[in-house]
Amino acid sequence: MPVIFHGGGRAGPFSADTVAIPLSSLISIREGKAKYANGDELRRAFRLRSDSTIILTGIDQDARIERWWGLGTDQRRSIIRDLIDAKIGVVTTPNFSLFVDRPRWDDLHSMKRIALVHEEFLSEGMPAALHVNARTDRDAARWAEYVADRPEVTHIAFEFTTGTGRADRVQQHAAWLSELAHIVSRPLHLFVRGGGEMLPMLAATFAGVTALDTSAFMKTIHRKIALNIGFTRPVWADHPTPFGAPLDALLERNWACMKSDLERRAGSLVKLVSG
């Protein structure tokens, strides 16, 4: 699934029928409310099809996700109701960070906040995926116990794009996710960002996996084009465009290339949402 950060640089609607948008992009922190009055306005602003399904991703920079927490319970719940009115399909909870250089209770506080905001989304009627950030074996075990005890948790989320994506950590986090799926005795769907090499392993243990891709959009904005020239992965080349020229065709090409690459690497195991 492509992640679309804004509607700039394009003239028409993106062809994908399902896209992800950062949660923070839809919120006015200053006003404490949703930026868009309805789903039609939102889809026009991001240059999406009027019938597109939108997934909100809570994965973001720490400062932005902390602003969501800073809104307070009442404002968050009010915004959630506005997002439901905008016909959002599902949201992945903000990924409050766990750090190695802070007191341990800070990690536990972040884990608690993830669980609390997940409950807020569900209680307002918004389908939500629980982001299971973990730093230790015990963190991972706690999440497995938490999910196993709560049948309302049907979707979880994770990202391998920061510290969790390091070569010395990616295998460990993928193993924790797989163990969680084995412990929980019901089907779970996983939303994952990054960690493409782990997709076959994850798809073998989860009922479904949706891979969120940011590269197609970001490379397009920076005038890069994906080339398949015999390498294992797509190669990005400079692709200058005339001043003011729309990027619609370039985005469509880059997403088609990245989608094909994800499907190839994952094989038939991964259930990608097609776009």
Side-chain angles (χ1 to χ4, degrees), residues 92-220:
T92 73
T93 55
N95 60 326
F96 297 110
S97 295
L98 279 61
F99 298 98
V100 298
D101 58 352
R102 293 188 185 177
R104 181 64 177 145
W105 55 79
D106 189 79
D107 291 345
L108 301 179
H109 182 233
S110 290
M111 293 172 66
K112 181 177 180 178
R113 290 189 295 162
I114 290 171
L116 287 172
V117 296
H118 178 257
E119 188 277 332
E120 289 173 358
F121 281 112
L122 292 186
S123 64
E124 292 296 336
M126 167 71 80
L130 178 73
H131 198 105
V132 288
N133 267 357
R135 191 165 67 79
T136 69
D137 288 336
R138 184 62 190 128
D139 291 343
R142 282 192 175 99
W143 281 127
E145 295 163 4
Y146 183 88
V147 175
D149 289 343
R150 289 166 175 79
E152 68 271 19
V153 181
T154 57
H155 294 66
I156 66 171
F158 199 74
E159 58 96 11
F160 290 96
T161 57
T162 51
T164 56
R166 297 200 321 258
D168 60 337
R169 294 292 293 176
V170 63
Q171 291 277 357
Q172 179 62 77
H173 286 282
W176 283 338
L177 287 171
S178 295
E179 185 176 3
L180 182 150
H182 283 303
I183 291 173
V184 178
S185 58
R186 63 179 185 278
L188 291 173
H189 190 100
L190 172 67
F191 288 94
V192 63
R193 186 158 143 186
E197 67 276 19
M198 296 292 104
L199 289 179
M201 173 183 176
L202 296 172
T205 52
F206 285 90
V209 177
T210 299
L212 276 62
D213 173 74
T214 61
S215 57
F217 182 89
M218 296 307 298
K219 295 293 188 181
T220 297

Side-chain angles (χ1 to χ4, degrees), residues 219-226 236-247 250 254:
K219 295 293 188 181
T220 297
I221 294 301
H222 290 92
R223 275 60 175 181
K224 300 285 186 178
I225 188 169
W236 296 100
D238 291 336
H239 188 74
T241 59
F243 181 79
L247 300 174
L250 183 59
N254 285 342

Side-chain angles (χ1 to χ4, degrees), residues 3 5 37 42 44 46 54 61 82-83 89 92 99 118 121 123-124 127-128 145 162 171 200 203 219 226 228 248 253:
V3 180
F5 290 88
L42 165 61
R44 285 194 299 270
F46 279 78
I54 294 176
Q61 298 175 353
D82 291 338
L83 296 177
T92 73
F99 298 98
H118 178 257
F121 281 112
S123 64
E124 292 296 336
E145 295 163 4
T162 51
Q171 291 277 357
K219 295 293 188 181
N228 288 315
D248 301 63
R253 177 198 168 100

